Amino acid sequence: MIHGYAGEFPPAFLREDGRRTATDNERVVMTLLHRTGDASRADLARATGLTAQSITRLVDPLIGRGLLVEGAPEIAGRGKPSAKLRLVADAAFAVGLSVMTDTVSLVVMDLAGTIRGRVEAPLVSVDFARANEQIASLIDHAVAEAGLNPARRIGTGVGVTGYFIGDGARLNPPAQLDPWALIPLDTMLAERLGGPVWVDNDGNVAAVGEAMLGAGRTTGDFAYLYFAAGFGGGVIAGGVPMRGSHGNAGEFASTLPESWPQPNLDNLRLYLAVHGHPYDDLHAMLAGFDPGDPLIDGWLDECAPSFNLIASVISAALDPDLIVLGGRLPPVLAERIIARIRFTNPERRGHHRPAPRITPSVIGPDAAAIGAAMLPLRAAFFG
């Protein structure tokens, strides 16, 4: 279940029964096309195990609703020419937002999964009403720049730093986002932004973004470490997010004893300030500092036990293929962290327990906004 959803789908996306955007079998077809780009009816039948007649019963209504288009038949080797089906990119789109303590990041993603627009801006105010005005304005501008029909927006996904308290979409963010704390974010955002709104924490949605455009292309099992003003993460298991009973799976910072340093970027900013390199905020630091600076070695040394414990816990408890270091973490700094991580993994009979590989994210700081944009599209059309 997606945490924190409020609102109704626009009528244009509902089926004739007025109840659903896509049936379970329609979702299977659309998910396959989302992954492959295009496929013939015969391809879909082979991939799903459904008969050709069943595929036709699924595909034709989707074409009629403008969600799929079928091209001209193509000759591919011997046999009858086949026509390729694909998703109609402009048929629907979603907006994904990542709201951080100092910055808001936004992407516009169409039905085919193409990012049609990107915006990043300093958060003008953490006041909820003022921030919503800024976000609404950013959405309007980005959608217009992308040349998309606003009526085709299926919804908005929002990733917010913090953990769920076990009561709907109420999150407990850091002190810097105090006006966003413990309120029903989904319904309150939907009132201003319009349409359905999904809310999840930034680590979960960043992991979804990585699953879509990064590590998820080669593995369905990985842990994602999200570095920003705070520190958290998400888990992808079998290709889908592992959320836990309260939506807080991947809150890796909580595995550290209270006296241990939290390896987040705001603590790095404070470390640099103590050593003569002050920055007003995290946005300024990320724009101005050199992540390869030898001065940072001291911070890395302080945080090494924390990195080692978190990586060892992930390896032992989750046994993923991969640990991905992402969020707002520069890749150069990620590589320096990776070089220092040591797993707790004693040898037995000449063998160590297989440990995950560790790699920087290839997506960059947009991962949370990308993952947030997938929330409405998955809920509406995909498996």
Side-chain angles (χ1 to χ4, degrees):
M1 184 184 78
I2 300 296
H3 239 76
Y5 159 77
E8 299 293 336
F9 285 112
F13 299 109
L14 297 177
R15 289 167 48 81
E16 289 183 3
D17 57 19
R19 297 180 60 189
R20 306 180 66 180
T21 53
T23 66
D24 290 343
N25 283 337
E26 286 174 341
R27 289 170 187 270
V28 170
V29 168
M30 294 186 71
T31 299
L32 284 169
L33 291 172
H34 189 263
R35 290 175 181 167
T36 61
D38 59 23
S40 67
R41 296 179 186 231
D43 294 333
L44 293 174
R46 283 190 292 270
T48 61
L50 297 172
T51 66
Q53 292 82 0
S54 295
I55 290 295
T56 294
R57 284 196 295 269
L58 292 171
V59 164
D60 285 352
L62 291 173
I63 293 173
R65 289 159 60 197
L67 297 172
L68 302 185
V69 65
E70 193 166 24
E74 300 175 2
I75 298 175
R78 297 181 179 179
K80 184 179 179 181
S82 61
K84 296 290 188 179
L85 293 152
R86 60 178 172 82
L87 298 169
V88 177
D90 287 4
F93 71 93
V95 172
L97 294 164
S98 175
V99 179
M100 296 161 276
T101 56
D102 63 329
T103 300
V104 57
S105 177
L106 177 155
V107 301
V108 179
M109 182 182 293
D110 67 28
L111 183 63
T114 301
I115 297 171
R116 304 283 289 271
R118 282 184 165 95
V119 178
E120 182 176 313
L123 195 62
V124 295
S125 172
V126 296
D127 175 77
F128 191 77
R130 288 188 63 194
N132 273 324
E133 289 301 317
Q134 179 189 12
I135 289 168
S137 177
L138 291 174
I139 290 173
D140 290 344
H141 179 75
V143 171
E145 284 288 303
L148 294 166
N149 180 354
R152 290 279 165 184
R153 176 159 54 118
I154 193 68
T156 305
V158 184
V160 183
T161 183
Y163 60 84
F164 288 105
I165 63 169
D167 180 13
R170 297 173 193 267
L171 280 162
N172 204 0
Q176 299 97 310
L177 283 177
D178 186 67
W180 294 63
L182 312 181
I183 61 176
L185 289 173
D186 51 354
T187 55
M188 294 181 70
L189 287 167
E191 288 174 3
R192 178 61 188 90
L193 303 182
V197 171
W198 289 257
V199 174
D200 210 334
N201 71 44
D202 49 9
N204 281 336
V205 292
V208 171
E210 188 72 30
M212 178 184 175
L213 296 179
R217 291 177 170 177
T218 58
T219 179
D221 296 279
F222 66 89
Y224 184 96
L225 301 185
Y226 185 84
F227 293 81
F231 175 73
V235 180
I236 301 294
V240 297
M242 177 190 294
R243 306 198 66 263
S245 296
H246 306 99
N248 293 320
E251 284 291 319
F252 300 119
S254 298
T255 66
L256 297 174
E258 289 187 11
S259 60
W260 288 35
Q262 288 284 339
N264 61 58
L265 295 180
D266 202 52
N267 280 343
L268 172 58
R269 182 181 68 85
L270 296 175
Y271 178 89
L272 292 175
V274 168
H275 290 82
H277 295 270
Y279 295 94
D280 290 340
D281 53 35
L282 186 55
H283 191 271
M285 185 193 81
L286 291 170
F289 89 125
D290 175 8
D293 188 340
L295 173 64
I296 297 173
D297 284 337
W299 180 77
L300 293 171
D301 289 340
E302 287 182 6
C303 293
S306 299
F307 290 127
N308 291 343
L309 177 58
I310 290 166
S312 297
V313 167
I314 290 171
S315 177
L318 299 175
D319 190 26
D321 289 334
L322 200 62
I323 298 175
V324 180
L325 277 56
R328 300 171 77 180
L329 185 69
V332 172
L333 187 53
E335 293 284 7
R336 297 181 69 185
I337 292 170
I338 291 167
R340 291 169 179 260
I341 291 178
R342 301 291 181 269
F343 291 102
T344 300
N345 191 0
E347 179 184 323
R348 183 185 299 166
R349 299 186 186 92
H351 294 276
H352 292 279
R353 175 172 36 81
R357 294 178 295 115
I358 311 177
T359 184
S361 172
V362 298
I363 299 178
D366 283 341
I370 291 168
M374 276 303 298
L375 299 181
L377 292 170
R378 280 188 168 182
F381 300 117
F382 303 121

